[in-house]
Amino acid sequence: MHKVEIVCHKGANEYAPENTYASAQLCIDWGMDYVEIDVNRSKDGVFYLLHGPEIDATTNGHGCITELTSDVIDSLDAGSWFDPKFAGEKVPRVEPFLAWIKGKAKLFIDVKAGTPQEIIDLIYKHGWQNDCFFWCGDDAWAYELRTLDSHLQLKINVDNVADVIYAHEHFRANIVEVALANTNQALIDACRARGIKVMIYHQEKDAAAFRAVLDWGVDMINLNHGDLFQKIAQAYHQQA
């Protein structure tokens, strides 16, 4: 039976505040394969789980994380905005979070701040080099990461076969991410020929779309509804 690995975008963000211990714990409870986290950094150089750069949407604070010191960020409430029952949930520091989740789930690390060398050092320090993959919205950052380290897993976004070829030749990508609407056999074949994993990105709560992902037989799915996809996948394989 082919198993599609499930990547939970910002944790179980439909049920708990994103980028928190609470949302990650739900993913662990569900048996998800990967938790996606956003890595950002305070003014004084401490790495946090936060999409940002503004902190207003997901905490009771105001401003940009890059302009705030760690003592301020550590004092914030990152849960009440989502639901009063999460009052007191903190913005996690990356280093203790890495120690806490190790062995419970793997990580998809979306790098919002930090040089490639700083992130590489952080990952090897905590022994995560075999249990995570990376993406950064800055192509120059991704290229530098690959130049510095040939082992770490790197994800590149693609829309078509030409993008897959570029991801392979320029970045030596290990994973490509593609929208369900852009997924086709030619793209999958191009990835298979190059030893690249295919991850479909689909954020909507859509049972039919999830079954389509399973029909494609891709390697991974990045989504907001890991619990529903898991149920659909179990039923899908039972019927096969």
Side-chain angles (χ1 to χ4, degrees), residues 66-85:
T66 53
E67 299 167 357
L68 300 170
T69 56
S70 55
D71 59 329
V72 173
I73 298 165
D74 287 340
S75 72
L76 297 173
D77 180 338
S80 294
W81 68 273
F82 186 88
D83 189 290
K85 70 181 180 182

Side-chain angles (χ1 to χ4, degrees), residues 68-230:
L68 300 170
T69 56
S70 55
D71 59 329
V72 173
I73 298 165
D74 287 340
S75 72
L76 297 173
D77 180 338
S80 294
W81 68 273
F82 186 88
D83 189 290
K85 70 181 180 182
F86 293 107
E89 193 76 27
K90 298 299 182 182
V91 180
R93 288 188 176 211
V94 167
E95 293 207 50
F97 181 86
L98 290 177
W100 170 79
I101 201 171
K102 189 169 177 60
K104 301 172 184 174
K106 297 179 182 182
L107 291 175
F108 166 19
I109 302 173
D110 183 341
V111 181
K112 305 296 187 186
T115 67
Q117 190 62 62
E118 288 171 330
I119 298 300
I120 289 168
D121 292 344
L122 183 68
I123 291 307
Y124 279 95
K125 175 183 176 182
H126 293 276
W128 271 92
Q129 60 270 24
N130 297 320
D131 296 310
C132 67
F133 67 93
F134 298 89
W135 180 74
C136 182
D138 180 354
D139 281 355
W141 190 99
Y143 183 79
E144 185 177 346
L145 178 82
R146 179 50 77 231
T147 301
L148 291 169
D149 191 291
S150 61
H151 174 78
L152 293 174
Q153 301 282 293
L154 180 63
K155 187 267 293 185
I156 299 294
N157 294 348
V158 302
D159 292 326
N160 50 54
V161 170
D163 289 347
V164 170
I165 295 169
Y166 184 75
H168 174 69
E169 294 180 351
H170 188 70
F171 297 103
R172 282 174 285 157
N174 309 98
I175 302 165
V176 297
E177 184 172 36
V178 60
L180 179 58
N182 291 330
T183 304
N184 56 64
Q185 196 60 52
L187 186 145
I188 292 172
D189 290 345
C191 291
R192 296 281 181 260
R194 292 164 176 80
I196 299 173
K197 290 184 177 181
V198 180
M199 179 168 72
I200 291 180
Y201 177 79
H202 195 78
Q203 296 305 312
E204 292 74 25
K205 190 174 186 178
D206 185 342
F210 291 163
R211 282 188 283 270
V213 170
L214 291 161
D215 285 340
W216 280 118
V218 295
D219 304 283
M220 310 167 82
I221 180 170
N222 182 15
L223 40 53
N224 284 334
H225 304 277
D227 55 335
L228 177 61
F229 182 83
Q230 185 179 55

